[in-house]
Amino acid sequence: MITPPNPLRVLILGAGSGIAQATARLYAAEGATVGLAGRNVERLAVIGADLKARGAAATESFDVDFTAPDAAATLAGMVAKLGGLDHVILAYGVLGDQALADRDETAAMAIIDVNFRSAAAWMLAVANLLERQRKGSLVVLGSVAGDRGRRSNYVYGAAKAGLAVLAQGISHRFRGVGPRAVIVKPGPTDTAMTAGMAKGGPMWATPEAVAAVVRKAADSGGPVVYAPGRWWLIMAIIRNIPASIFNKMNF
């Protein structure tokens, strides 16, 4: 891949999330120019000021409703403000309420709309841009939940599974062209999204640990990366549990 200019131009979609902020700090320490896209511009301004204090060359905030019709069409304007684009981190999403989704198809479709339909539109828009410029990286935050459907979060997991296949397809499309596309699959991570869950123990990761994987994935590695890496083995085991046994498990 062609070495990008210094400083890097990075766009983070869903910049208010815990993993996104931890990733942005890594880029700031490198002196990158960071674009922060989200729905709370006041919060983005606070994050941007923190990034500048940490070494970012510049920051730009973009007020975006990612699920709005044709929202991804605003990508070109963001790129123009950043002066170009090297890396895109797609980090937004909602866990949703699976119990509600079981009873209410509208609630289920809302989870899918945020986590797959809208994210897919942004991924394809970014893919077209990177393919035209023949360089750059798209890193998408997926989830280990997408590796096998479980009763506790299968609608969310289905959306993340779709993102994984799309990211892998884009990576295959980029073969021999120059850019790269990666799906990063974190295990349970201590963020606002998991605020209502019991936490602690070796299965949980910090946003900083996942961010380190995300940052590395933008530069090297395969199209599918687990964060932390031990989840590759854990999910390989879970995927291969026979259905007759798996369906008796309560998790």
Side-chain angles (χ1 to χ4, degrees):
M1 188 173 70
I2 297 172
T3 302
N6 188 22
L8 284 166
R9 288 82 49 95
V10 184
L11 175 61
I12 301 180
L13 305 173
S17 80
I19 294 172
Q21 290 182 58
T23 304
R25 293 181 191 123
L26 296 178
Y27 278 109
E30 298 175 27
T33 293
V34 185
L36 305 167
R39 293 181 298 175
N40 187 333
V41 290
E42 292 81 9
R43 176 63 178 150
L44 296 181
V46 173
I47 295 170
D50 176 69
L51 295 178
K52 288 179 184 175
R54 293 174 183 269
T59 63
E60 291 282 352
S61 295
F62 303 104
D63 184 5
V64 182
D65 177 356
F66 297 110
T67 63
D70 299 324
T74 63
L75 177 64
M78 297 181 193
V79 174
K81 276 206 164 186
L82 292 171
L85 194 59
D86 301 298
H87 295 175
V88 177
I89 313 297
L90 194 157
Y92 73 86
V94 295
L95 185 59
D97 184 335
Q98 181 61 56
L100 177 59
D102 285 342
R103 305 187 305 272
D104 184 343
E105 293 87 353
T106 300
M109 292 309 299
I111 296 170
I112 292 171
D113 188 57
V114 173
N115 291 311
F116 180 72
R117 195 275 310 165
S118 73
W122 283 95
M123 288 169 66
L124 292 169
V126 171
N128 290 337
L129 171 70
L130 297 184
E131 187 174 54
R132 287 194 300 271
Q133 68 184 29
R134 303 184 69 83
K135 63 179 182 177
S137 297
L138 167 63
V139 183
V140 180
L141 266 293
S143 172
V144 296
D147 278 22
R148 189 161 189 178
R150 297 184 294 120
R151 69 183 72 182
S152 62
N153 66 353
Y154 65 87
V155 173
Y156 171 80
K160 292 298 188 179
L163 285 191
V165 172
L166 185 58
Q168 288 172 278
I170 293 171
S171 176
H172 199 186
R173 169 185 167 183
F174 284 164
R175 183 176 175 84
V177 178
R180 57 185 286 103
V182 186
I183 183 85
V184 174
K185 298 183 177 186
T189 307
D190 190 358
T191 66
M193 180 183 284
T194 57
M197 299 181 184
K199 302 176 184 178
M203 304 296 278
W204 284 84
T206 64
E208 291 74 20
V210 176
V213 176
V214 170
R215 178 64 191 92
K216 182 178 179 181
D219 290 334
S220 62
V224 180
V225 179
Y226 288 83
R230 63 179 176 270
W231 280 98
W232 177 88
L233 177 59
I234 294 170
M235 296 314 299
I237 293 169
I238 290 175
R239 286 194 305 270
N240 286 286
I241 296 172
S244 59
I245 298 173
F246 185 83
N247 290 341
K248 294 176 182 178
M249 301 171 73
N250 186 23
F251 70 107

